[in-house]
Amino acid sequence: MSFFKRLKDKLTGNPIEEEKVVAINEEEAAEQKQDEATKPAQIEATVDEMEKAEDLSVTETSIETETPVAIEDQEQQEVQEVAVVEEPVQEKKPSAWSITQKFKAGLEKTRNSFTSKVNDLVARYRKVDEDFFEELEDLLLQADVGFETVMELMDKLRFEVQRKNIKDTDGIQTIISEKLVEIYEQGEEDLIELNMQPKGELTIILFVGVNGVGKTTTIGKLAHRLKSQGKTVVLAAGDTFRAGAIDQLQVWGDRVGCEVIKQSEGSDPAAVMYDAIRAAKNRNADVLICDTAGRLQNKVNLMNELEKVHRVISREVPNAPHEVLLALDATTGQNALVQAQTFKEATNVTGIVLTKLDGTAKGGIVLAIRNKLHIPVKFVGLGEKMDDLQPFDAERYVYGLFAEGLDKELQNSED
């Protein structure tokens, strides 16, 4: 099975397999209904035998009163079991497909710019030769994939073309997609999973990033996501220096339904964190999300402030913060790499949240960040809506880059 066929089965669900599941569930439901119809008669027959064998009026009365209740409980349990079987079949496919479509729509600008050029390249070069590789290399660099990533991809492509003795460009987009996913994942698993603590323990997530990258908005969207999972979330307004930052976080707190712990503008951010941790513990909150200032112009002050905040959090909750998420604006391109490097030096960044990915034509920056800094991209912003903050998925991301070309190649292979 080709790479993209496996990808499509994963993202949208295999229609043939889903039909089989539905058919099996319908058969099981029919059998259970038939059992429900026959079981009352079977139970009545058993009761009659017991009555004849024991011939006791007390037992007779007990059976007559208890049996209908037992039948009713059993029927109700069986109906619930049927419902449990049917629900995932109805929800699974739309959920997977809708998320895939978010990636496709969110990467439209990059795809329109990058993929159209790749399509032109494939049309002009019917044979895979060194000239083809050189032009493809230039296109990837223009999409901000990053020099190191492009060089690694070119090496992998050349090896694959030689190994499979590929002469023409038919199917080359599938191979490019597969190698990009391999480069991003590098054999690692569960890169996007947040380090959530066991139930009953407080998880602390520290957000860092320069002003203007959409950090506060992302905090609000992540709080909404966690609340929809049934978690109690508290927000800490640790950006006490930027005018309006506290009010902006309060607006998001009101919108999402989360309490915001804050002090007056100009207060010590570490003191805000101390109060927020105490408040979160008193309220038995599951998650505390902490905002911080983003003054990159003075690197020394930034580092000192973040170190102090980190120290206060670690003192109050051992091994915290459990996640340090760096918000980066995808539209800034290679400048985002410089920011990421600076914050990586200032604090132990555990993951990237790439905002405004839908607003850039250079979405290849995702690969550059992962390959150069070795920090996983955990979430991406794909739009303005509350649920447009999505966990990053390398395969969905690559599909978003090459959607039309991959669909065409799949269709040709099936024909």
Side-chain angles (χ1 to χ4, degrees), residues 149 152 179-188 191-192 366-371 375-378 392-394 397-398:
T149 309
E152 183 177 350
K179 296 309 170 186
L180 285 174
V181 172
E182 286 180 7
I183 289 172
Y184 184 89
E185 294 180 340
Q186 298 289 350
E188 299 183 48
L191 293 174
I192 65 170
V366 174
L367 294 160
I369 290 170
R370 176 75 182 107
N371 209 38
I375 302 173
V377 177
K378 297 207 171 188
F392 181 74
D393 184 294
Y397 164 74
V398 170

Side-chain angles (χ1 to χ4, degrees), residues 208-269:
V208 298
V210 301
N211 296 333
V213 298
K215 180 158 47 77
T216 306
T217 299
T218 302
I219 289 173
K221 290 181 178 180
L222 180 59
H224 168 73
R225 183 178 187 84
L226 293 172
K227 279 209 67 177
S228 67
Q229 296 172 0
K231 301 186 185 300
T232 304
V233 182
V234 174
L235 307 180
D239 187 355
T240 58
F241 293 93
R242 180 172 66 88
I246 297 173
D247 292 338
Q248 185 184 0
L249 190 65
Q250 183 64 62
V251 169
W252 271 104
D254 295 339
R255 186 181 302 175
V256 178
C258 295
E259 184 176 0
V260 178
I261 307 302
K262 57 188 178 181
Q263 293 185 11
S264 59
E265 190 173 315
S267 300
D268 183 2

Side-chain angles (χ1 to χ4, degrees), residues 137-166:
E137 182 179 311
D138 290 339
L139 290 179
L140 290 166
L141 289 171
Q142 291 171 26
D144 268 353
V145 173
F147 181 77
E148 293 87 350
T149 309
V150 171
M151 293 301 102
E152 183 177 350
L153 175 62
M154 290 299 106
D155 290 341
K156 287 180 177 290
L157 284 176
R158 286 186 174 94
F159 176 79
E160 194 72 7
V161 166
Q162 185 177 4
R163 185 179 72 86
K164 293 184 177 180
N165 195 28
I166 297 172

